[in-house]
């Protein structure tokens, strides 16, 4: 009996790696395999990756009979007649009343809007590849049990109406937003007092007091992600609000203008433990890098994780700068960034100082240069020396991919046993 139980358990674990079609075929082998293939643990989550559905009615009946709670259609194979497939999908999916989590693959916006109307039991709904430019959330109040809502368009997306309908979702803890939020009654967010994670898209059109009037009311906020803080963005006001949120410990600033005074405002955010910064390098990149270095130095006692995103475009421009001023004689090799002098964290040994003086004698025309060039390995070393308690990472990324960067769960050392009660995402 012990051997039999061990074999049964081994087979059950093996069956977890089978696709739906493979699982159904395995059920025809014998009675024991049929019972194994019907085990509830195997049907709690159904993933259709690299699979094609030819019978939606049969799939829906099977999911309902097995009590499936999570259906993942990401990377599902879709035939050429995709419109007919989605029409059939919308007719059968409401029948799966046991379904609590639904993740869609690339689909039209009409599919998303119809699922919101017909599947009120959903607690998690994700559609990260919507084929549209605009979306209506007028029926979002139908998902009163929704804990996690992730909506993202292939080429960017805006809302047809404002954010007022979100007020009906009282238990939101995670929210990501879309374009032009400043015109969509962004102040509604302050009523979502249960928010634990807030991710915002284009911040440049936010009201001047967004940080100290709206953001400051989110006392449960733990993670904050802001994107496209450019132009007239109220960056300093946002950072002031961040500094007063005691539970906030993770912040991601993606494509943000690092203006004069940025370093002082960020240095006040002593509550931040995990920080991601990807500055925009339109002009004065050396000054921006100087302020980023200066600000993280002030947070050395608090930071546990720091990621600095450097655009590949900046590295190319710096290489041209090096060639223009003939700095290759100073043994500057590899990818480098410019930093305005004096460089924060810079620790020059006697040997390096002597080498610097020798270089200046050989190249007198560079003596008055106000910018220092730091190779990325040297920058990493400086950061590790100053942030001895911090895990430091410098990421080289193309500008068009900056929005994909984030602090990975593995880097955050998340407690996997912690289950978040409510999560909501509405992504760009």
């Amino acid at each position: 009996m012990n051997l039999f139980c061990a074999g049964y358990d081994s087979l059950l674990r093996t069956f977890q790696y089978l696709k739906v079609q493979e699982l159904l075929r395995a059920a025809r082998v014998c009675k024991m395999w049929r019972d194994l293939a019907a085990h509830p643990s195997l049907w709690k989550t159904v993933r259709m990756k690299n699979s094609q559905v030819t019978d939606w009615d049969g799939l829906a009946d099977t999911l309902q009979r097995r009590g499936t709670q999570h259906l993942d259609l990401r990377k599902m194979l879709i035939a050429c007649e995709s419109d007919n497939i989605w029409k059939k999908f919308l007719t059968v999916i409401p029948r799966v009343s046991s379904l609590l989590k639904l993740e869609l693959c690339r689909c039209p916006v009409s599919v998303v809007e119809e699922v919101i109307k017909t599947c009120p039991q959903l607690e998690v709904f994700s559609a990260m590849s919507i084929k549209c430019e605009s979306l209506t959330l007028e029926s979002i109040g139908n998902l009163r049990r929704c804990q996690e809502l992730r909506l993202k368009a292939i080429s960017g997306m805006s809302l047809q109406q404002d954010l007022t309908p979100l007020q009906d979702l009282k238990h939101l803890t995670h929210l990501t937003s879309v374009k032009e939020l400043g015109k969509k009654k962004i102040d509604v967010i302050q009523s979502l007092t249960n928010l634990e994670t807030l991710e915002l898209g284009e911040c440049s059109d936010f009201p001047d007091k967004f940080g100290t009037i709206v953001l400051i009311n989110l006392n449960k906020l733990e993670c904050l992600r802001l994107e496209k803080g450019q132009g007239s963005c109220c960056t300093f006001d946002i950072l002031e609000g961040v500094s007063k949120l005691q539970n906030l410990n993770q912040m991601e600033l993606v494509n943000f203008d690092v203006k004069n005074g940025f370093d002082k405002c960020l240095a006040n955010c002593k509550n931040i433990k995990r920080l991601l910064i990807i500055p925009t390098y339109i002009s004065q990149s050396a000054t921006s890098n100087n302020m980023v270095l200066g600000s993280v130095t002030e947070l050395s006692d608090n930071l546990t994780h720091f990621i600095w995103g450097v655009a590949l475009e900046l590295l190319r421009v710096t290489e041209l700068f090096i060639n223009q001023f003939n700095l290759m004689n100073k043994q500057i090799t590899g990818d480098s960034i410019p930093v305005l002098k004096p460089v924060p964290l810079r620790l020059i040994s006697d040997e390096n100082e002597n080498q610097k003086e020798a270089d200046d004698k050989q190249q007198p025309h560079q003596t008055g240069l106000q910018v220092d060039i730091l190779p990325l390995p040297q920058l990493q070393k400086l950061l590790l020396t100053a942030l001895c308690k911090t895990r430091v990472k410098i990421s080289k990324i193309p500008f068009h991919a900056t929005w994909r960067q984030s602090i990975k769960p593995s880097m955050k050392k998340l407690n996997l046993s912690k289950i978040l009660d409510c999560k909501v995402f509405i992504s760009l």
Side-chain angles (χ1 to χ4, degrees):
M1 284 302 298
N2 289 336
L3 290 175
F4 178 81
C5 292
Y8 186 93
D9 184 65
S10 298
L11 277 175
L12 181 60
R13 292 178 181 273
T14 304
F15 276 24
Q16 293 176 356
Y17 296 93
L18 299 182
K19 300 178 183 179
V20 173
Q21 294 92 333
E22 296 169 342
L23 199 60
L24 294 175
R25 285 198 295 268
R28 301 175 185 151
V29 173
C30 62
K31 290 183 178 180
M32 186 181 75
W33 280 38
R34 181 193 63 191
D35 294 340
L36 275 168
H39 196 279
S41 65
L42 300 178
W43 290 93
K44 185 176 181 180
T45 297
V46 173
R47 294 182 171 87
M48 303 301 298
K49 180 180 179 181
N50 298 329
S51 301
Q52 184 174 355
V53 179
T54 56
D55 182 7
W56 281 104
D57 286 298
L59 178 62
D61 292 340
T62 302
L63 297 179
Q64 177 63 17
R65 185 169 61 254
R66 304 299 186 195
T68 299
Q69 298 180 7
H70 177 195
L71 176 61
D72 187 354
L73 302 182
R74 292 176 299 175
K75 297 184 179 181
M76 180 184 69
L77 301 180
I78 298 180
C80 298
E81 300 179 356
S82 59
D83 291 341
N84 293 332
I85 291 177
W86 288 118
K87 288 180 182 178
K88 189 62 178 177
F89 167 80
L90 291 175
T91 60
V92 302
I93 200 63
R95 292 175 5 208
V96 189
S97 58
S98 62
L99 201 61
L100 300 179
K101 182 175 181 178
L102 175 62
E103 297 183 81
L104 298 179
C105 58
R106 187 169 182 171
C107 65
V109 68
S110 58
V111 175
V112 175
E113 295 173 348
E114 189 64 23
V115 168
I116 292 175
K117 294 178 183 178
T118 59
C119 301
Q121 82 281 4
L122 288 179
E123 296 179 359
V124 177
F125 180 37
S126 174
M128 303 296 285
S129 300
I130 306 174
K131 296 185 288 186
C132 75
E133 294 183 356
S134 62
L135 170 72
T136 177
L137 293 178
E138 60 182 3
S139 302
I140 196 64
N142 191 47
L143 299 179
R144 294 186 179 277
R145 297 177 57 186
C146 188
Q147 300 175 357
E148 191 171 320
L149 179 61
R150 302 182 181 185
L151 304 179
K152 180 179 179 180
I154 298 173
S155 58
M157 167 176 77
S158 59
L159 297 180
Q160 293 184 5
Q161 73 284 333
D162 56 42
L163 297 174
T164 303
L166 289 178
Q167 294 181 122
D168 295 331
L169 306 182
K170 301 297 184 181
H171 303 289
L172 306 192
T173 63
H174 291 61
L175 174 66
T176 322
S177 57
V178 294
K179 298 189 296 184
E180 300 177 350
L181 280 179
K183 303 175 183 178
K184 304 296 182 180
K185 293 187 178 180
I186 189 66
D187 57 322
V188 169
I189 291 179
Q190 65 182 318
S191 64
L192 307 177
T193 54
N194 288 318
L195 279 178
E196 295 178 2
T197 296
L198 176 62
E199 302 184 15
L200 299 175
E202 299 179 0
C203 302
S204 56
D205 62 347
F206 281 10
D208 293 338
K209 296 297 182 180
F210 174 78
T212 52
I213 294 180
V214 177
L215 197 61
I216 201 172
N217 292 305
L218 307 179
N219 295 320
K220 295 183 179 180
L221 200 63
E222 297 178 2
C223 302
L224 176 65
R225 178 183 174 90
L226 303 174
E227 299 179 11
K228 295 187 178 181
Q230 304 166 4
S232 59
C233 177
C234 53
T235 304
F236 299 157
D237 181 75
I238 290 175
L239 292 178
E240 182 180 351
V242 166
S243 65
K244 298 178 180 178
L245 295 173
Q246 298 302 317
N247 291 322
L248 184 61
N249 54 60
Q250 175 176 315
M251 181 167 63
E252 302 178 7
L253 303 177
V254 180
N255 295 333
F256 254 70
D257 289 345
V258 179
K259 309 171 185 177
N260 289 329
F262 176 89
D263 50 345
K264 297 180 180 179
C265 292
L266 183 58
N268 291 329
C269 301
K270 302 296 185 181
N271 48 325
I272 299 300
K273 296 181 180 179
R274 297 182 294 270
L275 177 64
L276 164 68
I277 295 182
I278 304 181
T280 51
Y281 294 111
I282 299 176
S283 62
Q284 299 182 343
S285 56
T287 304
S288 299
N289 291 329
N290 183 290
M291 285 191 285
V292 171
L293 282 171
S295 58
V296 297
T297 305
E298 297 295 328
L299 298 176
S300 59
D301 293 334
N302 310 296
L303 282 182
T304 59
H305 300 80
F306 174 55
I307 302 178
W308 188 342
V310 179
L312 295 180
E313 289 77 2
L314 173 67
L315 300 178
R316 297 192 188 101
V317 171
T318 306
E319 184 178 358
L320 294 175
F321 178 84
I322 293 173
N323 294 334
Q324 179 182 356
F325 286 92
N326 194 25
L327 297 179
M328 292 306 293
N329 293 333
K330 302 181 86 173
Q331 299 181 348
I332 297 177
T333 58
D335 294 325
S336 307
I337 64 170
V339 182
L340 187 68
K341 295 180 180 178
V343 179
L345 318 181
R346 190 67 184 265
L347 302 175
I348 305 177
S349 64
D350 294 337
E351 181 181 353
N352 291 335
E353 185 66 32
N354 294 335
Q355 181 64 41
K356 179 177 181 296
E357 292 177 359
D359 290 336
D360 287 341
K361 291 179 180 179
Q362 294 177 5
Q363 302 171 358
H365 62 283
Q366 297 176 21
T367 306
L369 199 61
Q370 298 301 314
V371 174
D372 204 348
I373 303 298
L374 285 184
L376 294 188
Q378 184 178 352
L379 175 63
Q380 177 96 3
K381 184 177 181 180
L382 291 175
L383 288 170
L384 290 174
T385 301
L387 307 176
C388 55
K389 302 177 182 178
T390 308
R391 295 182 63 184
V392 177
K393 179 180 179 181
I394 299 177
S395 297
K396 298 184 293 184
I397 46 180
F399 179 77
H400 65 82
T402 51
W403 63 274
R404 298 177 182 174
Q405 305 304 308
S406 62
I407 300 177
K408 304 299 181 184
S410 57
M411 189 172 188
K412 293 190 293 183
K413 296 182 178 179
L414 288 179
N415 181 2
L416 298 181
S417 64
K418 179 181 179 181
I419 302 177
L420 297 179
D421 292 332
C422 302
K423 310 174 186 176
V424 176
F425 297 80
I426 306 176
S427 247
L428 178 63

